[in-house]
Amino acid sequence: MAKPKTRYACQACGSVTHRWQGQCADCGEWNTLAEEAPATVFSSKHDLTSGGRRVAFEPLDAPSERLVRRSTGLAEFDRALGGGLVPGSAILMGGDPGIGKSTLLLQASAAVAKAGASVVYISGEEAAGQVRLRAERLGLAGAPISLAAATSVRDILTTLGTMEPPALLVIDSIQTMHSDQIEGAPGTVSQVRASAFELIRFAKENGTALVLVGHVTKDGSIAGPRVLEHMVDVVMSFEGERSHQYRILRSLKNRFGPVDEIGVFAMEGAGLAEVANPSMLFLSGRSEPIAGSAVFPAMEGTRPVLVEIQALIVRLQSGATPRRAVVGWDNGRMAMLLAVLEARCGLNFSSCEVYLNIAGGYRLADPAADLAVAAALVSALGDKALPANAVWFGEVSLAGEVRPVAHAGIRRREAAKLGFTIACGPPGPASGDGEGRYTELSMLPNLVDRILGEA
Ligand SMILES: Nc1ncnc2c1ncn2[C@@H]1O[C@H](COP(=O)(O)OP(=O)(O)OP(=O)(O)O)[C@@H](O)[C@H]1O
Ligand SMILES: [Mg+2]
């Protein structure tokens, strides 16, 4: 058997030799070679405790560069990002086709470029002429953006290597990018992963903020490998009903900030306009109260947004299976509420079709919506309109209790500001603060009594 060779590793640069020398041949440092345990063929294959380089440890409080965020020029975009673009970070922007991703990014690019930073916009989907047409329509044709239509990652990185690294690099979209290091057509899992990896590495090394546009699949998740979401620092989704004007920019993951803030935009002929105060946006302009409609003060991050919940109940004469349809809320959650209303309040929905809609194309995720949905359902079932100036909030448990929710004070203040002077919600500390009248509902049957009972 061959005698295992002694190895000497340089403590400065990690290079390995089999002969001791005073000076490291690789880095030129003196007296840095130290003997290491000899590695046999077996041990070098199966034992990872030797033969590697020493990793330097650093204290957590080592001085580092302060995070300086760059504004995108759109306050709502900045808000959703948690304060602006972080240099060297990678952002993945998903959204339905035609929702306005390219428009948003072109507007942000133009604002960053006008503020004096260099911006590169690579379009893999549209020809440069198309992007120019959009810029003209948005009134941004004068912005000093470096625009190119390209799909080869090698071409893009070669080009970027010959110039000063840009402050912002937009890739529209990652599914059209192609890396020649990997077999396969653009858009395949391995291509998307390899292209994103190369682009993210460039961004990290050069302090460029990178925005990758990602296609979404039918169920709304970003197409391609899930691992793409792990590779980037921020995942954002641009949402909205295409038939409605309003668009919401949400961050689903953020390594540099909170994920509960949203940015609200309105899609107009001249591009996306920012909506700084969205609290009234999703209320339908109602003149008189209608049965089945309840107003809910939702929280989006730190901002309250009033939304209208509409329920419609149709009694079926035949024995057909009734339909249940929900737009803008969770299907399972409505089934649960219907079950609680049947089991705890003695209401009967079994021969009724139930439709629930959140007005304005809004998607509700706040668990405090339970009570407002229940109020809309009970009001629709009894054909009794709720007071026009009332808001409802609270979480409903399977036992039929109305549970306290976060930010009750903020919800009530915003509602009162907009003329909703009656609030109905869970008992607890919320009842004390805030303006207007507050009705405590501790159990779901109290709600039913209040809506159907007295009148
Ligand atoms: N002339 C116009 N006037 C008003 N709105 C327009 C006009 N042209 C386009 N739009 C709006 O812009 C939207 C398209 O925006 P954009 O191309 O930015 O979407 P996208 O998310 O990038 O789409 P894709 O997934 O196809 O890349 C259209 O759906 C439409 O609402
Ligand atoms: Mg686009």
Side-chain angles (χ1 to χ4, degrees), residues 98 100-103 121 125-126 134 172-173 213 215:
K101 302 178 289 296
S102 307
T103 309
Y121 189 106
E125 264 162 21
E126 295 166 284
R134 176 182 295 126
D172 188 0
S173 66
V213 174
H215 292 172

Side-chain angles (χ1 to χ4, degrees), residues 238-267:
F238 202 37
E239 307 170 348
E241 291 286 318
R242 239 170 309 163
S243 49
H244 287 90
Q245 193 190 7
Y246 297 112
R247 305 280 186 269
I248 293 179
L249 185 64
R250 215 180 269 285
S251 74
L252 306 177
K253 156 184 166 175
N254 193 345
R255 287 189 182 144
F256 309 108
V259 287
D260 49 3
E261 291 289 358
I262 59 166
V264 184
F265 297 89
M267 177 61 96

